[in-house]
Amino acid sequence: MNAAPIAIRAAFSYCVQQVRRYDYHHYLSLLHLPPAMRRAAFAFRAFNIEISRAMDLTSEPRVGLMRLLWWQEAVDKVFAKKLVEQPVARALSSVISEHKISKQWLKRSIEARINDANREDNSIPKCTSDLEKYAEDTQSTILYMTLQAGGIQSTAADHAASHIGKASGLLLLLKSLPYHFGRTGKIPYIPADVAEKYGLLTTINGRSEIVIEFGEQISEAVFDVASVAGAHLQKARGLASTVPQEAFPVLLPAVSAQVLLDSLQRSHFNVFDSSLARGVLGISPLRYQLKLKWYAWRRHDGIRAIERRTDRRKCTADRAGLGNPRTPLLPPPRPRSSEISKPNFCTTTNIACIVPYADDAISASSKLLEINPEIYTAWNYRKRAFEQRLQESTDQELIKSLVEAELRVVEAALRRNPKSYGAWYHRKWVLNRGVVEVDFDREFRLIDQLLKADPRNFHGWNYRRFVAKLKVVPEVEELKFTMDMIDTNFSNYSAWHNRSALLSCMLSTKVLGFDERAKILAEEYELVRQALFTDPSDQSGWFYHLWLLDQTVSPDEVLLVSTWPPHGSDWVLSIAENPACYKLSQLSSLSNYFLQSGKLPIVLYFNQSVKGVKSSSISVNSTFLKNEDLVWTPVPPTKSEEALCWVTYLHFQNIQQCDSKTKAYSIEVDLDHSQNIISSSGLHHCHPLNLRFHLTLSSASVRHSGGELVDDLFIWNCDGGDSAEESNIIMPFDQLNISGHPVPEFCRWKLETINKEKNLFTEISEENCKFVKLTLARLLVARDAMLSSTTPVTERLIHLRDALELFEDLIKLDPKHARYYEDQRSLVLMNQIQFPLIRVLNVIPNSSGCLLGLETLQLLTCLNLGHNKFNSFTAFGPLKFLGSLRVLDISFNEIGSHSADTTRYLFSSPLSHSLELDKKFTLDFCNAKIKASEHWEAIILFKDLNLKQLDIKGNIVADENFRDLLVKLLPTIRWLDGERL
């Protein structure tokens, strides 16, 4: 049997299920369509569900945008007759191949969702017409496409579909207000002009927001928007006589719009009324289906079927506006203040009335939870019933019986499933109420029984921490309990984890007897060694050892570990007659650096991420620029403004050409007020420093000095070297030697402990134990990180190679976790080069798939990333911050091997495939017939680089068209794939 028809049937079945689950009222409407149109209509409605739920499926807006952008690309592929492995996309592809469907309707629908998602959380539509436009783009377009699928070509039907879609969209937006308010605390779909009319609009921090302190005003605003929807339904009725007979089933959603409008009127336009959430659009499912069947049967009267049963005033003023005020379609009801009050807008439950809780219903919920403890609705029902009964009762004995009943229900549920999240959370919720005295003996007995049955049940350990905190049990006693459990079974991971949580708290607060950190950690090392030697293949002790290692190597103070230019260095700056490029030479070495646009970077590198690096905390005394004019920026830029590396620039643009005599300057960097520099853990930089380097300005021509390094072809040698004079060996810049500050005793203990552990694990005979190899690799890396200022370079390189060999062994020994080991290996390599001195870097082939931290190399000129595993241009994002980069080799990677790189949407990128390019670029691309939208991730990367040499061969993306794009995008390029341009 052919697999294609089976896959298509499965795709349409999926669409039907999605519509039935998330759009039930339209599901019932679609059942009345002829079979030829029904398949297409279900595909269109399922597509609408996919894009409408994209932002609701995640709390991270960027991930929601990724889904929408994926669908934007999927639609393009469907119309290009390319296969998209997604059920709804498959169904759409089948429908489009059978019927002549306009692509613009699908694109308009997605673009409307994207524009709505891009709105800021606090922004609201300016006027009702904005909402109408959104409703037409999201709802009317579905009706347009359904009409096209049925081969119905009628202007009247299209106009009716437009009005019905607008009415349906506006009413559904009103119905969704409680959901959005409960999720974000905002009212997003009341227009600003309507909100201002009823005094709901307020300005907070320069932004307009809607306040809902007064229920009656909200109802009036909802009424205004609903009246606009009613006016559209009236206009649809006026077109009924001109609509073709075969179009009436397509326009049945007018019935659901009228039903929702009627339900809003019954609730006095209080969208928070719980009756709107009952049944189908506020009425019983049976009644709704009978309405649909009746109106579908009266086909000849299609849209007229939604006429009101009672006389109501019609809208007499034309909405185009001739100076006459609009008469509301429905008379505004005037409910009593008690019917619409502030409690109806509860931000946590959105329930408009108190539901009575009967004894038989509560009893049924307990039986239900005993059978299946994972029904969260039942737990929430019991919580609300418990709260109501507490409010109604003042008898202490009755309250005790209520608490006892809840605890018994939890215990019955735990007997069914000891790992039920809902049961454990409900028990903690009841005890946290504090309405009765807690029987701690009973709680600890329950925990003991649970841990006896399953000593590793993390729910039980979590609950024990909760009860111990509630009883204020000394942490020392809990630590003894963990020791007893570990003595019983070394493999009890949960006990080890609980011990680490307790010790972390005790060491940070310096509990009596735990103020000597070195002593406590040494005892813990001795304890975990017994577990490791008892069973080296058990992972519990290894995880605890990893925690101990982290406690050992974590810095306990903020230190400046590296700077560029180095302290005490002497430099000569050669200035050209036309200063497009400056050459910076160090007198004590042969190192040359080329600075573009006359900017000299000053780089500070700390041992942990810090913030507060600014001109007030760091003073730079320079002739070229006032200290207060300097701006320190984190590398890379972060929203938290915390980073390991910080950089500022001294500008030379105002320096005139030097005369025959050289001019020498001294530049000082003072950290006298560095206590304002704070780490993410709250530590302050407490080591005032004075750094100084000398700069001599020379009038020697840059061109006569040899020009830039990359005027000629730069060749990387096969042995890992290059044609430049400097070596390619990865060599970290030595840490700054801070004299005058003795090494603390605790730091010496750290070094001794790391050495002791390294020697110990080197001698372990379990050669094929992955935990031994992984721990030994971590110890080698940690040791070199702590001793980088005193250990000889050759010894560090030996340790680096040993660590990399261990990761290679782990990749072969444990292929299931090979990607993890590869990432760890890449991080080790990146950590070795995260210092600003490196100018030429050749990354080892097949060793890296990420460039985390590379942006700190502000003087990097030549970079070889060839023969690695990069699969997208966005992986090279850190390169955008390297202003000195001139030579780049990214050949023989995997760029272009994946049809869709969804990770790119996590980065700064145009959300609609539109780029802000210079007119020259746009014209060049048009003349060369280059589609910028197909290569926008590459354009984002290369448009900010000033490369003179680029190698990109060996990647799927590297065809002739792409080479033409690079030539036009990089005006400075001289060499492309080894060929002179």
Side-chain angles (χ1 to χ4, degrees):
M1 183 179 291
N2 192 353
I6 297 176
I8 292 176
R9 284 198 298 271
F12 278 104
S13 177
Y14 175 82
C15 292
V16 173
Q17 295 301 322
Q18 288 293 95
V19 177
R20 181 173 183 174
R21 181 177 181 182
Y22 297 109
D23 197 1
Y24 188 64
H25 61 281
H26 281 132
Y27 166 79
L28 296 175
S29 300
L30 298 184
L31 296 180
H32 297 280
L33 287 172
M37 282 193 289
R38 192 182 305 158
R39 280 164 48 96
F42 272 115
F44 299 146
R45 288 289 174 185
F47 168 75
N48 182 61
I49 290 170
E50 292 289 331
I51 62 176
S52 64
R53 297 183 68 240
M55 300 301 296
D56 297 334
L57 292 175
T58 176
S59 59
E60 178 56 53
R62 292 181 299 178
V63 178
L65 282 172
M66 286 170 55
R67 296 176 185 271
L68 291 173
L69 291 166
W70 183 89
W71 272 108
Q72 196 173 49
E73 288 189 347
V75 168
D76 292 332
K77 291 181 180 179
V78 166
F79 276 89
K81 298 182 180 181
K82 295 181 180 179
L83 179 63
V84 180
E85 294 291 346
Q86 205 275 347
V88 177
R90 273 183 176 271
L92 281 176
S93 179
S94 176
V95 170
I96 291 169
S97 64
E98 294 177 11
H99 308 283
K100 190 176 180 181
I101 306 299
S102 298
K103 181 180 179 181
Q104 61 168 326
W105 304 131
L106 292 170
K107 299 291 283 187
R108 275 179 61 178
S109 185
I110 298 177
E111 287 170 2
R113 301 287 184 184
I114 291 176
N115 293 335
D116 184 57
N118 280 332
R119 283 197 302 124
E120 296 184 5
D121 293 339
N122 295 327
S123 64
I124 57 177
K126 294 181 179 180
C127 55
T128 309
S129 60
D130 291 344
L131 280 185
E132 291 179 272
K133 177 67 166 56
Y134 179 73
E136 181 181 19
D137 289 343
T138 55
Q139 296 297 322
S140 299
T141 51
I142 301 174
L143 301 179
Y144 298 156
M145 292 186 291
T146 308
L147 290 171
Q148 284 185 333
I152 302 171
Q153 297 181 355
S154 168
T155 304
D158 289 343
H159 285 171
S162 173
H163 291 300
I164 292 172
K166 289 178 181 179
S168 178
L170 289 174
L171 293 170
L172 290 175
L173 287 176
L174 293 177
K175 185 176 180 292
S176 70
L177 290 181
Y179 168 78
H180 291 290
F181 181 68
R183 189 182 185 196
T184 65
K186 308 291 182 184
I187 297 291
Y189 296 118
I190 295 293
D193 56 350
V194 176
E196 186 175 13
K197 176 181 175 182
Y198 294 106
L200 297 172
L201 200 62
T202 184
T203 302
I204 301 175
N205 295 329
R207 294 183 177 181
S208 298
E209 293 186 13
I210 295 177
V211 294
I212 59 168
E213 296 182 358
F214 307 104
E216 188 171 350
Q217 283 84 341
I218 282 288
S219 296
E220 294 286 0
V222 170
F223 169 75
D224 263 28
V225 179
S227 295
V228 176
H232 281 293
L233 288 177
Q234 283 286 71
K235 290 184 178 182
R237 293 189 192 101
L239 295 168
S241 60
T242 60
V243 173
Q245 191 78 10
E246 60 271 16
F248 285 124
V250 180
L251 304 180
L252 270 181
V255 177
S256 60
Q258 188 65 62
V259 168
L260 182 52
L261 188 60
D262 291 341
S263 297
L264 279 171
Q265 186 183 19
R266 283 194 300 271
S267 66
H268 306 298
F269 296 94
N270 175 14
V271 291
F272 290 90
D273 194 318
S274 60
S275 64
L276 293 175
R278 298 173 187 166
V280 180
L281 302 178
I283 65 175
S284 68
L286 178 60
R287 185 180 176 189
Y288 180 78
Q289 291 186 63
L290 290 175
K291 279 179 174 287
L292 281 176
K293 289 182 180 297
W294 170 251
Y295 296 140
W297 178 70
R298 295 179 61 198
R299 280 189 175 188
H300 63 281
D301 205 18
I303 302 179
R304 285 200 183 110
I306 60 175
E307 291 179 348
R308 312 290 298 170
R309 291 189 302 268
T310 59
D311 293 332
R312 293 187 178 95
R313 290 177 297 159
K314 295 185 177 180
C315 188
T316 58
D318 184 72
R319 291 200 62 244
L322 296 175
N324 298 323
R326 186 183 75 233
T327 303
L329 174 66
L330 302 172
R334 295 294 178 184
R336 297 185 301 273
S337 60
S338 60
E339 293 177 324
I340 301 180
S341 58
K342 189 174 182 178
N344 290 349
F345 304 98
C346 175
T347 60
T348 56
T349 61
N350 292 331
I351 294 179
C353 58
I354 298 178
V355 181
Y357 296 92
D359 291 340
D360 56 347
I362 296 175
S363 176
S365 69
S366 64
K367 294 177 181 178
L368 181 63
L369 290 169
E370 186 176 353
I371 297 172
N372 183 3
E374 301 305 319
I375 302 177
Y376 295 133
T377 303
W379 289 116
N380 290 334
Y381 178 84
R382 294 194 67 87
K383 287 182 178 70
R384 291 170 182 167
F386 182 76
E387 286 183 331
Q388 180 181 338
R389 293 193 170 191
L390 281 182
Q391 294 174 0
E392 297 173 351
S393 177
T394 57
D395 183 7
Q396 191 63 26
E397 291 300 321
L398 178 58
I399 293 176
K400 286 183 179 180
S401 65
L402 291 175
V403 173
E404 178 64 24
E406 296 303 313
L407 296 181
R408 285 200 303 269
V409 170
V410 171
E411 290 168 3
L414 290 176
R415 282 193 289 271
R416 169 70 65 176
N417 181 11
K419 296 184 178 181
S420 170
Y421 283 91
W424 286 112
Y425 180 79
H426 189 76
R427 193 175 188 91
K428 289 194 285 187
W429 179 84
V430 171
L431 297 184
N432 263 331
R433 301 287 296 174
V435 293
V436 297
E437 186 177 352
V438 179
D439 185 355
F440 288 107
D441 292 338
R442 174 182 180 176
E443 300 306 314
F444 279 112
R445 283 198 303 272
L446 173 66
I447 296 170
D448 290 341
Q449 292 174 5
L450 178 77
L451 295 182
K452 185 177 181 181
D454 182 6
R456 301 182 64 169
N457 188 335
F458 68 90
H459 292 278
W461 284 97
N462 185 37
Y463 187 67
R464 183 179 180 91
R465 286 193 292 271
F466 165 78
V467 175
K469 184 178 180 181
L470 203 62
K471 189 182 178 182
V472 196
V473 177
E475 293 166 321
V476 176
E477 293 186 15
E478 286 299 294
L479 199 64
K480 291 179 181 177
F481 177 78
T482 62
M483 190 68 256
D484 294 338
M485 297 296 290
I486 291 171
D487 286 340
T488 304
N489 182 7
F490 270 136
S491 184
N492 192 336
Y493 172 79
S494 296
W496 286 109
H497 174 263
N498 195 56
R499 188 173 185 84
S500 67
L502 289 169
L503 279 174
S504 295
C505 180
M506 297 169 74
L507 291 173
S508 61
T509 57
K510 296 185 178 181
V511 175
L512 183 63
F514 290 82
D515 49 350
E516 297 183 19
R517 188 182 185 90
K519 177 184 176 183
I520 299 300
L521 292 179
E523 293 174 354
E524 294 302 310
Y525 271 112
E526 186 62 34
L527 170 65
V528 77
R529 287 191 200 107
Q530 300 177 24
L532 298 180
F533 292 146
T534 301
D535 185 5
S537 63
D538 182 72
Q539 63 180 349
S540 303
W542 291 107
F543 278 110
Y544 189 72
H545 187 275
L546 177 60
W547 174 80
L548 284 176
L549 180 61
D550 181 67
Q551 294 293 309
T552 303
V553 302
S554 296
D556 50 0
E557 59 180 344
V558 179
L559 295 175
L560 180 66
V561 296
S562 175
T563 65
W564 195 92
H567 174 55
S569 59
D570 294 306
W571 301 85
V572 175
L573 183 69
S574 301
I575 306 174
E577 182 175 344
N578 182 15
C581 176
Y582 296 72
K583 187 178 79 169
L584 189 67
S585 306
Q586 189 172 7
L587 295 179
S588 60
S589 68
L590 298 177
S591 298
N592 296 321
Y593 302 92
F594 292 89
L595 309 176
Q596 296 297 314
S597 303
K599 295 193 302 182
L600 172 67
I602 298 180
V603 185
L604 303 181
Y605 200 92
F606 295 87
N607 65 339
Q608 52 185 305
S609 295
V610 296
K611 60 182 178 181
V613 179
K614 54 185 70 173
S615 57
S616 59
S617 56
I618 297 179
S619 175
V620 179
N621 299 320
S622 167
T623 306
F624 315 116
L625 199 66
K626 294 181 180 179
N627 178 62
E628 53 269 21
D629 294 335
L630 293 177
V631 177
W632 289 90
T633 57
V635 181
T638 59
K639 290 184 178 179
S640 62
E641 295 187 350
E642 292 182 354
L644 292 166
C645 182
W646 288 79
V647 63
T648 190
Y649 295 94
L650 298 180
H651 296 263
F652 303 109
Q653 288 93 333
N654 297 327
I655 300 178
Q656 301 297 327
Q657 182 178 359
C658 298
D659 52 22
S660 58
K661 295 183 179 180
T662 59
K663 298 181 180 180
Y665 299 91
S666 177
I667 300 175
E668 296 183 0
V669 181
D670 294 329
L671 284 78
D672 293 334
H673 303 283
S674 58
Q675 62 270 20
N676 296 325
I677 300 175
I678 307 173
S679 70
S680 55
S681 59
L683 300 175
H684 294 259
H685 186 274
C686 300
H687 298 288
L689 293 173
N690 181 271
L691 310 173
R692 178 180 300 177
F693 62 93
H694 299 89
L695 188 64
T696 301
L697 302 182
S698 173
S699 59
S701 172
V702 173
R703 180 62 59 185
H704 292 166
S705 300
E708 282 205 51
L709 181 65
V710 293
D711 279 344
D712 298 324
L713 180 65
F714 187 90
I715 301 175
W716 303 91
N717 292 335
C718 297
D719 58 358
D722 53 70
S723 61
E725 294 180 358
E726 62 181 83
S727 172
N728 180 60
I729 297 176
I730 296 177
M731 186 180 302
F733 187 59
D734 287 345
Q735 288 188 342
L736 190 64
N737 185 15
I738 304 175
S739 59
H741 298 284
V743 180
E745 183 67 27
F746 184 56
C747 291
R748 284 195 291 268
W749 174 84
K750 285 183 177 183
L751 298 177
E752 293 173 0
T753 301
I754 296 297
N755 284 326
K756 183 177 180 180
E757 294 296 305
K758 182 183 74 69
N759 296 333
L760 182 66
F761 287 110
T762 303
E763 298 172 359
I764 290 183
S765 59
E766 295 286 342
E767 295 182 357
N768 292 326
C769 178
K770 61 182 180 181
F771 298 112
V772 173
K773 292 181 178 293
L774 181 58
T775 302
L776 187 55
R778 287 168 172 163
L779 286 167
L780 289 170
V781 173
R783 180 184 181 278
D784 285 348
M786 297 180 67
L787 289 175
S788 59
S789 62
T790 57
T791 307
V793 172
T794 53
E795 184 178 347
R796 274 184 279 157
L797 290 175
I798 293 173
H799 290 165
L800 172 62
R801 293 190 180 99
D802 290 344
L804 295 177
E805 288 177 3
L806 287 169
F807 282 118
E808 290 292 341
D809 293 343
L810 286 167
I811 292 172
K812 298 175 183 177
L813 183 64
D814 186 16
K816 282 186 177 181
H817 302 97
R819 294 301 298 269
Y820 170 77
Y821 301 130
E822 290 172 358
D823 290 343
Q824 291 296 308
R825 181 184 60 185
S826 296
L827 289 175
V828 171
L829 288 171
M830 289 297 107
N831 287 335
Q832 299 301 312
I833 62 173
Q834 284 185 14
F835 295 96
L837 185 63
I838 293 178
R839 186 163 63 95
V840 178
L841 177 62
N842 185 3
V843 177
I844 299 173
N846 299 314
S847 67
S848 183
C850 70
L851 298 176
L852 184 65
L854 195 68
E855 60 274 6
T856 61
L857 306 182
Q858 290 295 298
L859 300 174
L860 188 64
T861 303
C862 305
L863 176 61
N864 184 3
L865 298 173
H867 298 274
N868 275 284
K869 300 178 181 180
F870 298 100
N871 55 31
S872 70
F873 284 108
T874 48
F876 303 112
L879 303 186
K880 293 188 294 183
F881 303 102
L882 303 179
S884 300
L885 188 62
R886 296 293 174 269
V887 175
L888 177 61
D889 186 347
I890 53 176
S891 59
F892 298 100
N893 277 276
E894 301 172 3
I895 305 171
S897 60
H898 300 284
S899 58
D901 175 26
T902 55
T903 58
R904 63 189 178 188
Y905 301 124
L906 296 176
F907 298 91
S908 176
S909 59
L911 296 177
S912 60
H913 292 260
S914 61
L915 294 168
E916 294 182 3
L917 295 175
D918 294 339
K919 291 184 178 180
K920 180 181 181 301
F921 281 139
T922 305
L923 183 61
D924 290 344
F925 289 165
C926 291
N927 294 336
K929 297 182 180 181
I930 297 173
K931 294 183 179 180
S933 60
E934 295 181 358
H935 301 288
W936 61 265
E937 60 268 67
I939 296 174
I940 288 177
L941 172 65
F942 290 115
K943 72 184 183 69
D944 295 325
L945 295 179
N946 294 310
L947 297 177
K948 290 196 173 183
Q949 177 178 323
L950 175 64
D951 290 282
I952 197 171
K953 59 181 177 292
N955 293 286
I956 296 177
V957 72
D959 55 16
E960 287 299 322
N961 291 334
F962 189 73
R963 286 170 55 90
D964 293 341
L965 181 143
L966 291 175
V967 171
K968 297 184 181 302
L969 195 61
L970 295 167
T972 59
I973 194 75
R974 297 292 179 270
W975 296 89
L976 183 59
D977 288 335
E979 298 178 1
R980 182 84 184 198
L981 299 178

